[in-house]
Every structure is written in structure tokens, then in C-alpha cells.
Amino acid sequence: RVVYALAAGIVINILVFVFLVYPLQSDVANVEQRTRAAESALAAAQAEFGRANGALTGKDRALKELDTFYRSVLAKDLTGARRLTFARLAQLAAKSSLDFERRRYEPVVERGSNLTRLKVSMELMGNYADVRDFIHEIESSPEFVVIDEINLAEGSQGDSMLRLTLQLSTYFRTGEQ
């Protein structure tokens, strides 16, 4: 009787293990695997959110900096752009001991842009050191003036004077933007 009872107990334990414990153990293993997969997906989603948030923050910062550039650096209108180039370039030329021969201004509306380009053409006379100083002054000035083209030629008098022809540009906003 005791042996039959022990044998019946072993058989019952084996059946409980096979039909109850083993399937539950597999379910626990599957839950742990799904938990790891969910944690991995969460980490990937958080990283993607961080990248998207960084891009949005970067875009906002770029828009703010562009707005500051438009308000603080660029001229407000054609009159401001002409004043900036006409007066300032004349000052820089006089400071560099260059003589004005002539200058010309031409506004160019850029298609599909809210900016207008003011093209400036200047002819100056002076020696090489003065020309070099003038170009350096333009490049290091706080005004937004771009040197598009430089032509340097000997003067017509045959002395050491040089003729400097400059093509410059500055920009201003078109209309109320």
C-alpha cells in the first residue's frame, strides 16, 4: 500500500508538472521575452523622440537666428541699403586714401525670394597698399556687404596708381515680411 501510494504520488506530481507547471513556465519565459522586446522598442522610440525634438529645437533656433539676421543685420529697405553702401563705402575709401571714379547701384529682385539684392559697382583709384586696406576694411566691417568681383588694372597715367573695379552686393527685405 505504501509503495502504491508513493507511486501514485509520483505519477500525480509528474502529471501536475507536465500539464500545469511546464506550460506556466513557458508562459513566464514568453512574458520575459516580450518585456525585453517592449523595453527595446521603448528605448528606440525615446531615441527617435529625442532626435525629432532636437530637430524641432534646431529648426526653431535657426528660425530665430534668421529673424535676428533679418532685423539686425540686413537693411530694412532700398533707402537703408543705399545709405549703408553709399555712405559707408565712401568712408572706407576715404579712410584707405582711394579716389572715387564712379559708382552705380541697381536693385535686383530675386525670383521666389523675399530678399532684394542691391548690386553696387564701384571704380576707385589708388596704390596697391591702399586697395588692399580698402578690401580688408570691407571684409571686416559689421555691415552685410558681399564682394562679388574684383578687377585690378594699371591706371592710365602710367604711374603706380591702380584702377580697382568692385562688384558688391547687399540685401534687404522686400515688402512687409
Side-chain angles (χ1 to χ4, degrees), residues 2 12 19 35 48 58 66 81 88-89 98-99 102 118 122-123 143 157 159:
V2 173
I12 291 174
F19 291 111
T35 301
E48 181 65 27
L66 183 61
R88 184 67 175 145
L89 292 175
L98 293 176
D99 297 323
R102 75 181 139 196
L118 180 63
M122 298 176 63
E123 286 189 26
E143 291 84 13
Q157 290 91 10
D159 54 7

Side-chain angles (χ1 to χ4, degrees), residues 24 54 57 59 65 77 111 127 151:
L24 291 176
T57 302
K59 182 179 177 184
E65 288 177 7
D77 54 11
R111 186 179 301 208
N127 64 37
N151 291 315

Side-chain angles (χ1 to χ4, degrees), residues 11-26:
V11 169
I12 291 174
N13 277 334
I14 291 173
L15 291 175
V16 167
F17 178 77
V18 169
F19 291 111
L20 271 169
V21 175
Y22 185 73
L24 291 176
Q25 183 181 3
S26 296

Side-chain angles (χ1 to χ4, degrees), residues 52-88:
N53 196 23
L56 183 60
T57 302
K59 182 179 177 184
D60 287 344
R61 184 174 54 240
L63 287 173
K64 286 178 185 175
E65 288 177 7
L66 183 61
D67 187 53
T68 300
F69 175 76
Y70 282 154
R71 282 186 285 110
S72 302
V73 177
L74 288 185
K76 305 284 185 241
D77 54 11
L78 177 61
T79 305
R82 288 188 74 189
R83 188 177 323 116
L84 174 116
T85 54
F86 191 83
R88 184 67 175 145

Side-chain angles (χ1 to χ4, degrees), residues 2 4 36 38 40 55 62 78 80-81 91 101 109-111 114 123 127 130 138 148 154-155 169-170:
V2 173
Y4 288 129
R36 283 192 298 274
S40 175
L78 177 61
Q91 277 180 331
E101 295 292 312
V109 177
E110 301 287 337
R111 186 179 301 208
N114 62 351
E123 286 189 26
N127 64 37
D130 295 337
I138 291 173
D148 296 323
E154 288 185 35
S169 295
T170 190

Side-chain angles (χ1 to χ4, degrees), residues 92 95-96 129-141 147 150:
L92 293 177
K95 180 180 175 184
S96 299
D130 295 337
V131 167
R132 199 177 71 203
D133 289 342
F134 177 68
I135 292 170
H136 175 72
E137 288 293 327
I138 291 173
E139 289 179 340
S140 60
S141 70
I147 299 175
I150 298 175

